mmCIF file of all heavy atoms in Angstrom:
data_model
loop_
_atom_site.group_PDB
_atom_site.id
_atom_site.type_symbol
_atom_site.label_atom_id
_atom_site.label_comp_id
_atom_site.label_asym_id
_atom_site.label_seq_id
_atom_site.Cartn_x
_atom_site.Cartn_y
_atom_site.Cartn_z
ATOM 1 N N LEU A 82 72.892 103.607 64.728
ATOM 2 C CA LEU A 82 73.628 103.321 65.960
ATOM 3 C C LEU A 82 72.819 102.410 66.880
ATOM 4 O O LEU A 82 73.365 101.468 67.468
ATOM 5 C CB LEU A 82 73.983 104.631 66.673
ATOM 6 C CG LEU A 82 74.814 104.514 67.935
ATOM 7 C CD1 LEU A 82 76.125 103.783 67.671
ATOM 8 C CD2 LEU A 82 75.087 105.896 68.503
ATOM 9 N N LEU A 86 73.881 98.743 68.381
ATOM 10 C CA LEU A 86 73.872 98.469 69.816
ATOM 11 C C LEU A 86 73.000 97.265 70.139
ATOM 12 O O LEU A 86 73.381 96.415 70.954
ATOM 13 C CB LEU A 86 73.386 99.693 70.598
ATOM 14 C CG LEU A 86 74.373 100.841 70.728
ATOM 15 C CD1 LEU A 86 73.692 102.056 71.360
ATOM 16 C CD2 LEU A 86 75.575 100.437 71.555
ATOM 17 N N ARG A 94 77.493 96.229 74.803
ATOM 18 C CA ARG A 94 76.789 97.521 74.812
ATOM 19 C C ARG A 94 77.342 98.438 75.890
ATOM 20 O O ARG A 94 77.529 99.636 75.665
ATOM 21 C CB ARG A 94 75.286 97.324 75.020
ATOM 22 C CG ARG A 94 74.558 96.906 73.771
ATOM 23 C CD ARG A 94 73.047 97.036 73.910
ATOM 24 N NE ARG A 94 72.491 96.352 75.055
ATOM 25 C CZ ARG A 94 72.116 95.068 75.067
ATOM 26 N NH1 ARG A 94 72.224 94.350 73.964
ATOM 27 N NH2 ARG A 94 71.602 94.525 76.135
ATOM 28 N N ALA A 95 77.624 97.889 77.063
ATOM 29 C CA ALA A 95 78.171 98.698 78.163
ATOM 30 C C ALA A 95 79.505 99.307 77.761
ATOM 31 O O ALA A 95 79.750 100.497 77.993
ATOM 32 C CB ALA A 95 78.319 97.858 79.429
ATOM 33 N N ILE A 96 80.353 98.519 77.128
ATOM 34 C CA ILE A 96 81.661 99.017 76.674
ATOM 35 C C ILE A 96 81.474 100.093 75.615
ATOM 36 O O ILE A 96 82.103 101.153 75.672
ATOM 37 C CB ILE A 96 82.529 97.854 76.137
ATOM 38 C CG1 ILE A 96 82.909 96.914 77.279
ATOM 39 C CG2 ILE A 96 83.763 98.380 75.415
ATOM 40 C CD1 ILE A 96 83.493 95.590 76.821
ATOM 41 N N LEU A 97 80.611 99.820 74.638
ATOM 42 C CA LEU A 97 80.370 100.800 73.570
ATOM 43 C C LEU A 97 79.810 102.109 74.123
ATOM 44 O O LEU A 97 80.238 103.192 73.716
ATOM 45 C CB LEU A 97 79.416 100.232 72.522
ATOM 46 C CG LEU A 97 80.034 99.232 71.550
ATOM 47 C CD1 LEU A 97 78.944 98.570 70.717
ATOM 48 C CD2 LEU A 97 81.043 99.915 70.656
ATOM 49 N N LEU A 98 78.858 102.020 75.030
ATOM 50 C CA LEU A 98 78.264 103.233 75.586
ATOM 51 C C LEU A 98 79.275 104.056 76.369
ATOM 52 O O LEU A 98 79.302 105.285 76.265
ATOM 53 C CB LEU A 98 77.052 102.884 76.446
ATOM 54 C CG LEU A 98 75.833 102.417 75.659
ATOM 55 C CD1 LEU A 98 74.734 101.921 76.590
ATOM 56 C CD2 LEU A 98 75.304 103.528 74.769
ATOM 57 N N LYS A 99 80.123 103.384 77.144
ATOM 58 C CA LYS A 99 81.170 104.109 77.883
ATOM 59 C C LYS A 99 82.147 104.765 76.914
ATOM 60 O O LYS A 99 82.568 105.913 77.117
ATOM 61 C CB LYS A 99 81.905 103.172 78.832
ATOM 62 C CG LYS A 99 81.094 102.810 80.052
ATOM 63 C CD LYS A 99 81.848 101.868 80.964
ATOM 64 C CE LYS A 99 80.967 101.463 82.136
ATOM 65 N NZ LYS A 99 81.640 100.515 83.022
ATOM 66 N N THR A 100 82.495 104.054 75.854
ATOM 67 C CA THR A 100 83.417 104.593 74.853
ATOM 68 C C THR A 100 82.797 105.798 74.152
ATOM 69 O O THR A 100 83.446 106.840 73.997
ATOM 70 C CB THR A 100 83.772 103.507 73.818
ATOM 71 O OG1 THR A 100 84.348 102.389 74.499
ATOM 72 C CG2 THR A 100 84.748 104.024 72.785
ATOM 73 N N LEU A 101 81.545 105.665 73.725
ATOM 74 C CA LEU A 101 80.864 106.779 73.055
ATOM 75 C C LEU A 101 80.705 107.971 73.986
ATOM 76 O O LEU A 101 80.859 109.121 73.555
ATOM 77 C CB LEU A 101 79.499 106.330 72.542
ATOM 78 C CG LEU A 101 79.518 105.408 71.336
ATOM 79 C CD1 LEU A 101 78.114 104.885 71.052
ATOM 80 C CD2 LEU A 101 80.075 106.128 70.125
ATOM 81 N N ASP A 102 80.397 107.703 75.228
ATOM 82 C CA ASP A 102 80.263 108.769 76.218
ATOM 83 C C ASP A 102 81.569 109.553 76.345
ATOM 84 O O ASP A 102 81.575 110.786 76.316
ATOM 85 C CB ASP A 102 79.888 108.152 77.567
ATOM 86 C CG ASP A 102 78.847 108.927 78.310
ATOM 87 O OD1 ASP A 102 78.126 109.723 77.688
ATOM 88 O OD2 ASP A 102 78.752 108.715 79.537
ATOM 89 N N CYS A 103 82.658 108.824 76.457
ATOM 90 C CA CYS A 103 83.977 109.457 76.585
ATOM 91 C C CYS A 103 84.311 110.263 75.331
ATOM 92 O O CYS A 103 84.770 111.407 75.419
ATOM 93 C CB CYS A 103 85.034 108.389 76.839
ATOM 94 S SG CYS A 103 86.700 109.040 77.024
ATOM 95 N N MET A 104 84.066 109.688 74.177
ATOM 96 C CA MET A 104 84.360 110.384 72.928
ATOM 97 C C MET A 104 83.512 111.647 72.792
ATOM 98 O O MET A 104 84.024 112.708 72.413
ATOM 99 C CB MET A 104 84.120 109.457 71.729
ATOM 100 C CG MET A 104 85.139 108.343 71.607
ATOM 101 S SD MET A 104 84.720 107.155 70.306
ATOM 102 C CE MET A 104 84.920 108.167 68.865
ATOM 103 N N ALA A 105 82.226 111.555 73.107
ATOM 104 C CA ALA A 105 81.345 112.716 73.015
ATOM 105 C C ALA A 105 81.820 113.818 73.965
ATOM 106 O O ALA A 105 81.852 114.998 73.597
ATOM 107 C CB ALA A 105 79.905 112.322 73.325
ATOM 108 N N ASP A 106 82.214 113.441 75.170
ATOM 109 C CA ASP A 106 82.738 114.429 76.128
ATOM 110 C C ASP A 106 83.975 115.126 75.576
ATOM 111 O O ASP A 106 84.125 116.346 75.714
ATOM 112 C CB ASP A 106 83.066 113.773 77.467
ATOM 113 C CG ASP A 106 81.836 113.397 78.270
ATOM 114 O OD1 ASP A 106 80.743 113.915 77.957
ATOM 115 O OD2 ASP A 106 81.969 112.578 79.205
ATOM 116 N N GLN A 107 84.847 114.362 74.928
ATOM 117 C CA GLN A 107 86.063 114.944 74.346
ATOM 118 C C GLN A 107 85.714 115.913 73.213
ATOM 119 O O GLN A 107 86.275 117.004 73.126
ATOM 120 C CB GLN A 107 86.988 113.840 73.827
ATOM 121 C CG GLN A 107 87.608 112.990 74.913
ATOM 122 C CD GLN A 107 88.513 113.795 75.811
ATOM 123 O OE1 GLN A 107 89.321 114.598 75.360
ATOM 124 N NE2 GLN A 107 88.373 113.598 77.115
ATOM 125 N N PHE A 108 84.797 115.528 72.353
ATOM 126 C CA PHE A 108 84.391 116.410 71.251
ATOM 127 C C PHE A 108 83.753 117.691 71.772
ATOM 128 O O PHE A 108 84.050 118.790 71.299
ATOM 129 C CB PHE A 108 83.405 115.700 70.309
ATOM 130 C CG PHE A 108 84.013 114.569 69.522
ATOM 131 C CD1 PHE A 108 83.270 113.422 69.274
ATOM 132 C CD2 PHE A 108 85.299 114.635 69.014
ATOM 133 C CE1 PHE A 108 83.810 112.376 68.542
ATOM 134 C CE2 PHE A 108 85.849 113.608 68.282
ATOM 135 C CZ PHE A 108 85.103 112.472 68.049
ATOM 136 N N ILE A 109 82.881 117.542 72.756
ATOM 137 C CA ILE A 109 82.207 118.712 73.327
ATOM 138 C C ILE A 109 83.217 119.630 73.992
ATOM 139 O O ILE A 109 83.187 120.854 73.808
ATOM 140 C CB ILE A 109 81.102 118.270 74.316
ATOM 141 C CG1 ILE A 109 79.982 117.565 73.542
ATOM 142 C CG2 ILE A 109 80.566 119.459 75.109
ATOM 143 C CD1 ILE A 109 79.014 116.789 74.425
ATOM 144 N N SER A 110 84.143 119.066 74.754
ATOM 145 C CA SER A 110 85.179 119.866 75.420
ATOM 146 C C SER A 110 86.050 120.586 74.402
ATOM 147 O O SER A 110 86.367 121.765 74.568
ATOM 148 C CB SER A 110 86.068 118.975 76.300
ATOM 149 O OG SER A 110 85.339 118.479 77.375
#
Side-chain angles (χ1 to χ4, degrees):
L82 183 57
L86 285 172
R94 281 194 306 273
I96 293 167
L97 283 170
L98 288 173
K99 286 179 183 178
T100 302
L101 288 172
D102 222 20
C103 180
M104 290 173 67
D106 287 343
Q107 291 296 315
F108 292 143
I109 293 166
S110 292

